[in-house]
Amino acid sequence: MKQTKISEAVVRRLPIYLQVLNELNNREVQTVSSQELGVKLDLNPAQIRKDLAYFGDFGRKGIGYDVTYLIEKIRQILKLDQTINVALVGAGNLGHALCNYNKYSKDNMKIIAVFDVHPSKIGSQINNLTVMPMDMLKQTVEENNIRIGIITVPGFEAQNVANQFIDAGIEGLLNFAPAILKVPEEIRIHHADFTKELLSLAYYLERERDDENEPNLD
Amino acid sequence: MKQTKISEAVVRRLPIYLQVLNELNNREVQTVSSQELGVKLDLNPAQIRKDLAYFGDFGRKGIGYDVTYLIEKIRQILKLDQTINVALVGAGNLGHALCNYNKYSKDNMKIIAVFDVHPSKIGSQINNLTVMPMDMLKQTVEENNIRIGIITVPGFEAQNVANQFIDAGIEGLLNFAPAILKVPEEIRIHHADFTKELLSLAYYLERERDDENEPNLD
DNA sequence: TCCTTTATGTAAAGGCTGGTTCCAAGTATG
DNA sequence: CATACTTGGAACCAGCCTTTACATAAAGGA
């Protein structure tokens, strides 16, 4: 257990490990070796060991890793062992989808408040949450100890929403809007802009097709 | 214009450049320097120049880049100058959101077919698309020259759907499901699993808050 | 008990990608 | 014609990621 700098790539793999471990746990597998994990994840076993070793000595030589123990440990690392409250701004289709997804999630991370800038949306129900106006944001964040904000508004509104989140004292942001957001150093921001993902995916297609395909959907 | 290997990071920045350029274009800005772009994007100007130079000599010394010309070029690189047909499997909330988003998109990339594995969903309407059964997938992909598949099904169904897409001859996949998918070398797969993004975001929060939850940490 | 097998944790090395600095060359402007 | 500006490319640097290799520890069988 060395305490050097832990790179982002390592942190990004933790949720993947957790996913596979949960699967194994569901199948009541007791222990797993880095070798086996490596096959499942297409990763080098040494890398998995090294990743885990950053956070502690979780394995046993000759045996491997105890599945439930390792799950517990990774959940601690990712802070899933404590309740993390999340707020969402943008009660559109995507916002609905996330709230709905949230309902089925086992994690302690819960969307507990939804906001929208448009009066027409305010007061409507999503699952069992009532969409609130933006001027309730700051107060709600403070009172409910909300630490993460999700932005699912159109691009041109995103910066404004981000600013209000930051002003309210949020620690991290997950941005779905196709916009470049400026945030202070201390705010952690992750992007989940699928439009960019889709555009960059197109790059890797083979060029050539140019058939003037009339996209008539019949 | 050197034709070395172009890294993923470069390709991932192209959509971002495009976004900013479109904004400039809307404001009828004629030309822009890498310096100005760098400020807007928090990037080193040299990096922007280098990125663009991979694909050709788009700029003019002493002047900068012509905005509309550069937009056109990046669109060519990302193949947005041709129609790229997309199919989506999973007519749940997220699927709805994507289809709806798609409606407003200016890109030539269009979701032109939606499928679902569950009989209850089949036949329902999303925008102006009718949800089709999975056994129509292959035929539809072939007939409509669909090149990209989007997966918005629950994790446990994702691999199965991916296999069917691949069997139908898809070139690229965008996966929203929280699952590790095995695909052949030649299939390009991008992930947009926001749950992972959210979990890794939690890692970067300051530990400490323990609210009502018993810590139970030794 | 002892030997073999298995599998971890970590050090070390290597490779690769990504980013930055620097400069020559081209263009517009006065 | 001189100056200021800006690109494109070469070269350099840095750091991260990955892999290899090995010492160590545990379990199981003889």
Side-chain angles (χ1 to χ4, degrees), chain B residues 122-142:
Chain B
I122 292 161
S124 63
Q125 291 283 125
I126 298 185
N127 292 343
N128 44 7
L129 299 174
T130 305
V131 177
M132 291 188 278
M134 288 301 284
D135 52 25
M136 295 281 291
L137 180 67
K138 184 161 188 173
Q139 185 192 347
T140 309
V141 166
E142 286 167 357

Side-chain angles (χ1 to χ4, degrees), chain A residues 12 19 39 76 79 82 101 145 147 171 178 180 182 190 195 197 203 205-207 209 211, chain B residues 12 19 39 76 79 82 101 145 147 171 178 180 182 190 195 197 203 205-207 209 211:
Chain A
R12 283 185 139 54
Q19 192 173 91
V39 171
Q76 280 177 18
K79 301 189 183 57
Q82 56 181 298
Y101 178 88
N145 195 15
R147 306 175 69 183
E171 293 176 59
I180 292 102
K182 305 255 186 190
H190 282 202
T195 63
E197 215 56 57
Y203 171 82
L205 300 178
E206 301 298 324
R207 184 159 273 283
R209 314 263 182 108
D211 36 355
Chain B
R12 288 191 129 63
Q19 194 173 90
V39 170
Q76 278 176 20
K79 301 189 183 58
Q82 57 181 299
Y101 179 88
N145 194 16
R147 305 175 71 183
E171 292 176 61
I180 293 102
K182 304 258 185 187
H190 281 202
T195 63
E197 216 55 57
Y203 171 83
L205 300 178
E206 302 297 324
R207 185 160 273 284
R209 313 266 181 108
D211 292 352

Side-chain angles (χ1 to χ4, degrees), chain B residues 7-9 13 44 46-47 50 60-63:
Chain B
S7 77
E8 299 218 5
R13 278 191 292 268
N44 188 310
Q47 179 168 317
K50 191 180 164 194
R60 291 176 68 197
K61 303 182 191 208
I63 306 289

Side-chain angles (χ1 to χ4, degrees), chain B residues 9-93:
Chain B
V10 175
V11 177
R12 288 191 129 63
R13 278 191 292 268
L14 292 180
I16 305 181
Y17 297 155
L18 194 55
Q19 194 173 90
V20 174
L21 289 166
N22 280 327
E23 268 173 37
L24 291 171
N25 199 38
N26 289 341
R27 285 193 277 124
E28 293 176 4
V29 177
Q30 302 287 320
T31 60
V32 66
S33 68
S34 60
Q35 178 72 32
E36 295 169 280
L37 286 176
V39 170
K40 280 190 182 296
L41 292 164
D42 261 327
L43 289 175
N44 188 310
Q47 179 168 317
I48 297 172
R49 290 201 301 276
K50 191 180 164 194
D51 283 354
L52 297 175
Y54 277 116
F55 303 99
D57 292 4
F58 302 144
R60 291 176 68 197
K61 303 182 191 208
I63 306 289
Y65 298 90
D66 182 276
V67 173
T68 54
Y69 179 71
L70 190 52
I71 287 175
E72 187 192 332
K73 283 302 180 184
I74 295 182
R75 288 180 62 85
Q76 278 176 20
I77 295 164
L78 292 175
K79 301 189 183 58
L80 301 178
D81 57 333
Q82 57 181 299
T83 302
I84 294 184
N85 293 333
V86 180
L88 182 147
V89 175
N93 267 279

Side-chain angles (χ1 to χ4, degrees), chain A residues 44-139:
Chain A
N44 188 305
Q47 179 167 318
I48 297 172
R49 292 201 299 277
K50 194 180 161 196
D51 283 354
L52 297 176
Y54 276 116
F55 303 100
D57 292 4
F58 302 145
R60 291 176 67 198
K61 303 185 192 211
I63 305 290
Y65 299 90
D66 182 277
V67 173
T68 53
Y69 179 71
L70 189 53
I71 287 176
E72 188 192 334
K73 283 301 180 185
I74 295 182
R75 288 181 61 86
Q76 280 177 18
I77 296 164
L78 293 176
K79 301 189 183 57
L80 301 179
D81 57 333
Q82 56 181 298
T83 303
I84 295 184
N85 293 333
V86 180
L88 182 147
V89 174
N93 268 279
L94 187 53
H96 271 80
L98 297 186
C99 288
N100 199 281
Y101 178 88
N102 186 67
K103 201 169 60 175
Y104 300 111
S105 164
K106 290 273 193 52
D107 300 323
N108 301 3
M109 205 180 291
K110 293 282 185 203
I111 298 173
I112 63 161
V114 179
F115 300 85
D116 204 291
V117 292
H118 301 295
S120 62
K121 296 273 183 59
I122 291 161
S124 63
Q125 291 284 125
I126 298 184
N127 292 345
N128 44 7
L129 298 174
T130 305
V131 178
M132 292 188 279
M134 288 302 283
D135 53 25
M136 294 280 291
L137 181 68
K138 184 161 188 173
Q139 185 191 347

